Amino acid sequence: MKRVHKDGSAQITEKKSRFIGDVYNIENEEDALYYINETKKKYWDARHHCYAYIIGNNNEIKRFSDDGEPSGTAGKPILEVLSGNECSNCLCIVTRYFGGVLLGTGGLIRAYTSASKEALDDCLTGELVEGVHAYLDADYNYVGKIQHLCIQDDITVVNTEYSDNVIFELMMEKQVRQKFEKALTEMSSGSIGLREIKEVKMYRDGRGILSL
């Protein structure tokens, strides 16, 4: 399942009605209610605040609300966007400012679907994994080989600093650390190793890139 690790927001206009989509990472229903209430305060003059959320590693909790829109035209389409993108621990709220023109059932479904999709597209999402954040120092002669190892093991090079030697800032899944360290030792006869090693939770996106 994917988790949101950077919230997103988007707006669309449909026949003079304005739809504002906001997506948040949440851990429980208390978080969801907090963001829903804060959104109602922020957009206090809006007609509707429709939402959906999914919580749990196995999607144990699913909730949605049409908030006064015709049944099935708002909350459920938002929930289907979250489910279709395999999102977990995720809340999407779509606020509507009514523009004076009725959209009909089909128009409402399209509008709420589009607003939630665009808000989700504005997020950074990924799979939560056990990861390692570390640095290594290397002689210039080893740069190409280290870069090749990183590509081979899907290790993300966060930053590379060039001075008297080369300093790599790396992020990798915990499961590849041992293999990578063994390869470094064999390649450099033990002269290169990881330092400032921290085991942390990381996000892996669809391209295999890790981020904190």
Side-chain angles (χ1 to χ4, degrees):
M1 300 299 293
K2 296 177 185 176
R3 294 283 298 269
V4 172
H5 57 104
K6 179 182 176 295
D7 298 339
S9 183
Q11 294 189 36
I12 67 166
T13 301
E14 185 71 28
K15 293 183 179 179
K16 298 183 180 180
S17 281
R18 184 159 59 107
F19 295 83
I20 306 168
D22 291 294
V23 176
Y24 302 98
N25 174 67
I26 57 174
E27 298 299 328
N28 48 52
E29 291 195 271
E30 287 74 18
D31 288 348
L33 292 174
Y34 169 80
Y35 285 118
I36 292 165
N37 288 330
E38 288 299 303
T39 299
K40 288 180 178 180
K41 292 177 187 177
K42 182 178 180 180
Y43 304 115
W44 59 270
D45 54 343
R47 178 74 67 88
H48 304 282
H49 304 282
C50 306
Y51 63 83
Y53 58 84
I54 300 174
I55 300 173
N57 294 329
N58 296 305
N59 298 339
E60 292 90 348
I61 300 173
K62 292 184 179 182
R63 303 274 190 271
F64 64 86
S65 170
D66 294 313
D67 193 35
E69 293 283 30
S71 179
T73 63
K76 190 174 181 181
I78 297 169
L79 181 65
E80 288 175 350
V81 170
L82 298 183
S83 298
N85 284 273
E86 299 181 336
C87 293
S88 180
N89 287 56
C90 181
L91 163 69
C92 179
I93 307 167
V94 179
T95 298
R96 181 189 182 188
Y97 282 90
F98 182 57
V101 179
L102 297 176
L103 301 183
T105 299
L108 286 172
I109 292 172
R110 285 192 298 272
Y112 280 102
T113 298
S114 296
S116 51
K117 278 183 176 178
E118 292 198 18
L120 192 59
D121 286 344
D122 188 54
C123 295
L124 291 178
T125 61
E127 180 186 356
L128 194 63
V129 297
E130 296 286 340
V132 173
H133 180 258
Y135 294 83
L136 71 80
D137 303 338
D139 184 273
Y140 278 82
N141 294 329
Y142 291 108
V143 169
K145 293 179 180 178
I146 291 170
Q147 290 172 335
H148 176 72
L149 286 175
C150 290
I151 293 171
Q152 192 176 51
D153 292 331
D154 289 329
I155 295 171
T156 299
V157 179
V158 180
N159 187 46
T160 308
E161 182 181 329
Y162 297 91
S163 55
D164 293 338
N165 56 9
V166 183
I167 302 171
F168 290 90
E169 181 184 359
L170 304 172
M171 290 190 294
M172 68 196 76
E173 288 193 53
K174 187 177 179 180
Q175 62 188 19
V176 306
R177 174 184 169 182
Q178 187 174 358
K179 177 186 174 185
F180 182 61
E181 288 186 303
K182 182 180 178 182
L184 289 175
T185 299
E186 292 175 351
M187 178 186 71
S188 66
S189 299
S191 64
I192 299 176
L194 298 177
R195 63 177 176 83
E196 296 182 42
I197 301 166
K198 293 181 181 178
E199 293 189 359
V200 293
K201 294 284 188 180
M202 293 180 171
Y203 292 92
R204 178 177 59 203
D205 69 15
R207 299 165 296 169
I209 295 174
L210 294 168
S211 57
L212 292 170

